[in-house]
PDB file of all heavy atoms in Angstrom:
ATOM      1  N   ILE A  35      10.574 -87.750  34.186  1.00  0.00           N
ATOM      2  CA  ILE A  35      11.283 -87.333  35.394  1.00  0.00           C
ATOM      3  C   ILE A  35      11.048 -85.850  35.606  1.00  0.00           C
ATOM      4  O   ILE A  35      11.369 -85.030  34.739  1.00  0.00           O
ATOM      5  CB  ILE A  35      12.800 -87.606  35.273  1.00  0.00           C
ATOM      6  CG1 ILE A  35      13.058 -89.072  34.931  1.00  0.00           C
ATOM      7  CG2 ILE A  35      13.529 -87.215  36.552  1.00  0.00           C
ATOM      8  CD1 ILE A  35      14.467 -89.352  34.471  1.00  0.00           C
ATOM      9  N   GLY A  38      14.300 -82.843  35.873  1.00  0.00           N
ATOM     10  CA  GLY A  38      15.283 -83.713  35.233  1.00  0.00           C
ATOM     11  C   GLY A  38      16.476 -83.029  34.606  1.00  0.00           C
ATOM     12  O   GLY A  38      17.274 -83.691  33.943  1.00  0.00           O
ATOM     13  N   GLY A  41      21.157 -82.345  38.997  1.00  0.00           N
ATOM     14  CA  GLY A  41      21.186 -83.138  40.210  1.00  0.00           C
ATOM     15  C   GLY A  41      20.729 -84.572  40.023  1.00  0.00           C
ATOM     16  O   GLY A  41      21.060 -85.231  39.037  1.00  0.00           O
ATOM     17  N   ILE A  42      19.959 -85.049  40.991  1.00  0.00           N
ATOM     18  CA  ILE A  42      19.480 -86.430  40.973  1.00  0.00           C
ATOM     19  C   ILE A  42      18.631 -86.695  39.735  1.00  0.00           C
ATOM     20  O   ILE A  42      18.724 -87.761  39.120  1.00  0.00           O
ATOM     21  CB  ILE A  42      18.661 -86.726  42.242  1.00  0.00           C
ATOM     22  CG1 ILE A  42      19.523 -86.584  43.491  1.00  0.00           C
ATOM     23  CG2 ILE A  42      18.058 -88.126  42.195  1.00  0.00           C
ATOM     24  CD1 ILE A  42      18.720 -86.583  44.777  1.00  0.00           C
ATOM     25  N   GLY A  43      17.805 -85.726  39.361  1.00  0.00           N
ATOM     26  CA  GLY A  43      16.941 -85.918  38.206  1.00  0.00           C
ATOM     27  C   GLY A  43      17.720 -86.162  36.932  1.00  0.00           C
ATOM     28  O   GLY A  43      17.397 -87.077  36.158  1.00  0.00           O
ATOM     29  N   LEU A  44      18.758 -85.359  36.700  1.00  0.00           N
ATOM     30  CA  LEU A  44      19.570 -85.528  35.500  1.00  0.00           C
ATOM     31  C   LEU A  44      20.310 -86.858  35.525  1.00  0.00           C
ATOM     32  O   LEU A  44      20.384 -87.559  34.503  1.00  0.00           O
ATOM     33  CB  LEU A  44      20.562 -84.369  35.368  1.00  0.00           C
ATOM     34  CG  LEU A  44      21.529 -84.436  34.174  1.00  0.00           C
ATOM     35  CD1 LEU A  44      20.786 -84.538  32.857  1.00  0.00           C
ATOM     36  CD2 LEU A  44      22.451 -83.216  34.181  1.00  0.00           C
ATOM     37  N   GLU A  45      20.848 -87.221  36.668  1.00  0.00           N
ATOM     38  CA  GLU A  45      21.583 -88.486  36.750  1.00  0.00           C
ATOM     39  C   GLU A  45      20.643 -89.685  36.617  1.00  0.00           C
ATOM     40  O   GLU A  45      21.024 -90.723  36.066  1.00  0.00           O
ATOM     41  CB  GLU A  45      22.358 -88.566  38.065  1.00  0.00           C
ATOM     42  CG  GLU A  45      23.510 -87.589  38.150  1.00  0.00           C
ATOM     43  CD  GLU A  45      24.536 -87.764  37.030  1.00  0.00           C
ATOM     44  OE1 GLU A  45      24.743 -88.915  36.590  1.00  0.00           O
ATOM     45  OE2 GLU A  45      25.109 -86.748  36.597  1.00  0.00           O
ATOM     46  N   THR A  46      19.417 -89.551  37.103  1.00  0.00           N
ATOM     47  CA  THR A  46      18.427 -90.607  36.889  1.00  0.00           C
ATOM     48  C   THR A  46      18.118 -90.732  35.403  1.00  0.00           C
ATOM     49  O   THR A  46      18.045 -91.848  34.859  1.00  0.00           O
ATOM     50  CB  THR A  46      17.145 -90.310  37.679  1.00  0.00           C
ATOM     51  OG1 THR A  46      17.451 -90.244  39.077  1.00  0.00           O
ATOM     52  CG2 THR A  46      16.095 -91.390  37.456  1.00  0.00           C
ATOM     53  N   ALA A  47      17.943 -89.598  34.752  1.00  0.00           N
ATOM     54  CA  ALA A  47      17.716 -89.614  33.303  1.00  0.00           C
ATOM     55  C   ALA A  47      18.881 -90.262  32.574  1.00  0.00           C
ATOM     56  O   ALA A  47      18.689 -91.093  31.671  1.00  0.00           O
ATOM     57  CB  ALA A  47      17.503 -88.188  32.795  1.00  0.00           C
ATOM     58  N   ARG A  48      20.099 -89.901  32.969  1.00  0.00           N
ATOM     59  CA  ARG A  48      21.287 -90.470  32.324  1.00  0.00           C
ATOM     60  C   ARG A  48      21.306 -91.991  32.476  1.00  0.00           C
ATOM     61  O   ARG A  48      21.571 -92.723  31.514  1.00  0.00           O
ATOM     62  CB  ARG A  48      22.539 -89.839  32.928  1.00  0.00           C
ATOM     63  CG  ARG A  48      23.852 -90.409  32.383  1.00  0.00           C
ATOM     64  CD  ARG A  48      25.044 -89.601  32.853  1.00  0.00           C
ATOM     65  NE  ARG A  48      25.169 -88.362  32.106  1.00  0.00           N
ATOM     66  CZ  ARG A  48      25.026 -87.138  32.622  1.00  0.00           C
ATOM     67  NH1 ARG A  48      24.754 -86.986  33.908  1.00  0.00           N
ATOM     68  NH2 ARG A  48      25.158 -86.071  31.850  1.00  0.00           N
ATOM     69  N   GLY A  49      21.006 -92.475  33.678  1.00  0.00           N
ATOM     70  CA  GLY A  49      21.009 -93.913  33.904  1.00  0.00           C
ATOM     71  C   GLY A  49      19.954 -94.631  33.088  1.00  0.00           C
ATOM     72  O   GLY A  49      20.198 -95.721  32.551  1.00  0.00           O
ATOM     73  N   LEU A  50      18.765 -94.036  32.967  1.00  0.00           N
ATOM     74  CA  LEU A  50      17.693 -94.675  32.214  1.00  0.00           C
ATOM     75  C   LEU A  50      17.940 -94.611  30.716  1.00  0.00           C
ATOM     76  O   LEU A  50      17.600 -95.547  29.978  1.00  0.00           O
ATOM     77  CB  LEU A  50      16.354 -94.035  32.581  1.00  0.00           C
ATOM     78  CG  LEU A  50      15.926 -94.260  34.038  1.00  0.00           C
ATOM     79  CD1 LEU A  50      14.640 -93.502  34.345  1.00  0.00           C
ATOM     80  CD2 LEU A  50      15.767 -95.744  34.342  1.00  0.00           C
ATOM     81  N   VAL A  51      18.544 -93.518  30.255  1.00  0.00           N
ATOM     82  CA  VAL A  51      18.932 -93.431  28.839  1.00  0.00           C
ATOM     83  C   VAL A  51      19.951 -94.516  28.498  1.00  0.00           C
ATOM     84  O   VAL A  51      19.869 -95.169  27.454  1.00  0.00           O
ATOM     85  CB  VAL A  51      19.483 -92.028  28.517  1.00  0.00           C
ATOM     86  CG1 VAL A  51      20.232 -92.028  27.178  1.00  0.00           C
ATOM     87  CG2 VAL A  51      18.352 -91.008  28.484  1.00  0.00           C
ATOM     88  N   ARG A  52      20.903 -94.719  29.387  1.00  0.00           N
ATOM     89  CA  ARG A  52      21.913 -95.754  29.152  1.00  0.00           C
ATOM     90  C   ARG A  52      21.291 -97.147  29.083  1.00  0.00           C
ATOM     91  O   ARG A  52      21.834 -98.047  28.442  1.00  0.00           O
ATOM     92  CB  ARG A  52      22.978 -95.702  30.250  1.00  0.00           C
ATOM     93  CG  ARG A  52      23.928 -94.522  30.128  1.00  0.00           C
ATOM     94  CD  ARG A  52      24.849 -94.409  31.330  1.00  0.00           C
ATOM     95  NE  ARG A  52      25.790 -93.305  31.176  1.00  0.00           N
ATOM     96  CZ  ARG A  52      26.574 -92.845  32.132  1.00  0.00           C
ATOM     97  NH1 ARG A  52      26.513 -93.389  33.354  1.00  0.00           N
ATOM     98  NH2 ARG A  52      27.402 -91.843  31.906  1.00  0.00           N
ATOM     99  N   LEU A  53      20.144 -97.317  29.750  1.00  0.00           N
ATOM    100  CA  LEU A  53      19.432 -98.593  29.701  1.00  0.00           C
ATOM    101  C   LEU A  53      18.523 -98.694  28.474  1.00  0.00           C
ATOM    102  O   LEU A  53      17.852 -99.708  28.294  1.00  0.00           O
ATOM    103  CB  LEU A  53      18.618 -98.792  30.977  1.00  0.00           C
ATOM    104  CG  LEU A  53      19.424 -99.096  32.241  1.00  0.00           C
ATOM    105  CD1 LEU A  53      18.510 -99.066  33.471  1.00  0.00           C
ATOM    106  CD2 LEU A  53      20.121-100.454  32.128  1.00  0.00           C
ATOM    107  N   GLY A  54      18.491 -97.632  27.674  1.00  0.00           N
ATOM    108  CA  GLY A  54      17.721 -97.682  26.441  1.00  0.00           C
ATOM    109  C   GLY A  54      16.326 -97.115  26.513  1.00  0.00           C
ATOM    110  O   GLY A  54      15.555 -97.215  25.552  1.00  0.00           O
ATOM    111  N   VAL A  57      13.137 -90.986  27.457  1.00  0.00           N
ATOM    112  CA  VAL A  57      13.021 -90.138  28.643  1.00  0.00           C
ATOM    113  C   VAL A  57      12.351 -88.816  28.292  1.00  0.00           C
ATOM    114  O   VAL A  57      12.675 -88.190  27.278  1.00  0.00           O
ATOM    115  CB  VAL A  57      14.417 -89.881  29.261  1.00  0.00           C
ATOM    116  CG1 VAL A  57      14.343 -88.800  30.332  1.00  0.00           C
ATOM    117  CG2 VAL A  57      14.970 -91.170  29.869  1.00  0.00           C
ATOM    118  N   LEU A  59      11.868 -85.188  30.080  1.00  0.00           N
ATOM    119  CA  LEU A  59      12.310 -84.344  31.180  1.00  0.00           C
ATOM    120  C   LEU A  59      11.294 -83.222  31.376  1.00  0.00           C
ATOM    121  O   LEU A  59      11.037 -82.441  30.463  1.00  0.00           O
ATOM    122  CB  LEU A  59      13.685 -83.730  30.880  1.00  0.00           C
ATOM    123  CG  LEU A  59      14.827 -84.696  30.558  1.00  0.00           C
ATOM    124  CD1 LEU A  59      16.102 -83.909  30.266  1.00  0.00           C
ATOM    125  CD2 LEU A  59      15.047 -85.675  31.690  1.00  0.00           C
ATOM    126  N   ALA A  70      20.643 -79.852  29.401  1.00  0.00           N
ATOM    127  CA  ALA A  70      20.645 -81.232  29.900  1.00  0.00           C
ATOM    128  C   ALA A  70      20.392 -82.208  28.762  1.00  0.00           C
ATOM    129  O   ALA A  70      21.047 -83.254  28.665  1.00  0.00           O
ATOM    130  CB  ALA A  70      19.580 -81.391  30.985  1.00  0.00           C
ATOM    131  N   ASP A  73      23.509 -82.517  26.677  1.00  0.00           N
ATOM    132  CA  ASP A  73      24.530 -83.296  27.389  1.00  0.00           C
ATOM    133  C   ASP A  73      24.259 -84.788  27.245  1.00  0.00           C
ATOM    134  O   ASP A  73      25.181 -85.586  27.012  1.00  0.00           O
ATOM    135  CB  ASP A  73      24.539 -82.920  28.873  1.00  0.00           C
ATOM    136  CG  ASP A  73      25.161 -81.562  29.127  1.00  0.00           C
ATOM    137  OD1 ASP A  73      25.814 -81.020  28.214  1.00  0.00           O
ATOM    138  OD2 ASP A  73      24.984 -81.033  30.255  1.00  0.00           O
ATOM    139  N   LEU A  74      22.998 -85.186  27.376  1.00  0.00           N
ATOM    140  CA  LEU A  74      22.645 -86.599  27.254  1.00  0.00           C
ATOM    141  C   LEU A  74      22.811 -87.091  25.818  1.00  0.00           C
ATOM    142  O   LEU A  74      23.251 -88.224  25.586  1.00  0.00           O
ATOM    143  CB  LEU A  74      21.206 -86.818  27.730  1.00  0.00           C
ATOM    144  CG  LEU A  74      20.947 -86.559  29.218  1.00  0.00           C
ATOM    145  CD1 LEU A  74      19.456 -86.639  29.519  1.00  0.00           C
ATOM    146  CD2 LEU A  74      21.717 -87.548  30.093  1.00  0.00           C
ATOM    147  N   GLU A  77      26.306 -88.022  24.835  1.00  0.00           N
ATOM    148  CA  GLU A  77      26.699 -89.350  25.285  1.00  0.00           C
ATOM    149  C   GLU A  77      26.075 -90.441  24.420  1.00  0.00           C
ATOM    150  O   GLU A  77      26.678 -91.493  24.199  1.00  0.00           O
ATOM    151  CB  GLU A  77      26.297 -89.550  26.744  1.00  0.00           C
ATOM    152  CG  GLU A  77      27.008 -88.615  27.707  1.00  0.00           C
ATOM    153  CD  GLU A  77      26.555 -88.828  29.148  1.00  0.00           C
ATOM    154  OE1 GLU A  77      25.934 -89.870  29.419  1.00  0.00           O
ATOM    155  OE2 GLU A  77      26.832 -87.957  29.982  1.00  0.00           O
ATOM    156  N   ALA A 253      25.196 -88.683  41.095  1.00  0.00           N
ATOM    157  CA  ALA A 253      25.162 -90.026  40.504  1.00  0.00           C
ATOM    158  C   ALA A 253      24.870 -91.075  41.577  1.00  0.00           C
ATOM    159  O   ALA A 253      24.099 -92.017  41.356  1.00  0.00           O
ATOM    160  CB  ALA A 253      26.476 -90.321  39.808  1.00  0.00           C
ATOM    161  N   ILE A 260      16.992 -95.087  40.033  1.00  0.00           N
ATOM    162  CA  ILE A 260      17.233 -95.917  38.848  1.00  0.00           C
ATOM    163  C   ILE A 260      16.909 -97.372  39.154  1.00  0.00           C
ATOM    164  O   ILE A 260      16.293 -98.077  38.341  1.00  0.00           O
ATOM    165  CB  ILE A 260      18.699 -95.772  38.377  1.00  0.00           C
ATOM    166  CG1 ILE A 260      18.950 -94.358  37.847  1.00  0.00           C
ATOM    167  CG2 ILE A 260      19.034 -96.808  37.299  1.00  0.00           C
ATOM    168  CD1 ILE A 260      20.407 -94.055  37.593  1.00  0.00           C
TER     169      ILE A 260
END
Side-chain angles (χ1 to χ4, degrees):
I35 305 166
I42 298 168
L44 178 57
E45 291 302 327
T46 300
R48 177 171 283 114
L50 295 176
V51 165
R52 286 173 178 170
L53 288 172
V57 170
L59 304 179
D73 286 346
L74 295 173
E77 296 179 16
I260 293 170

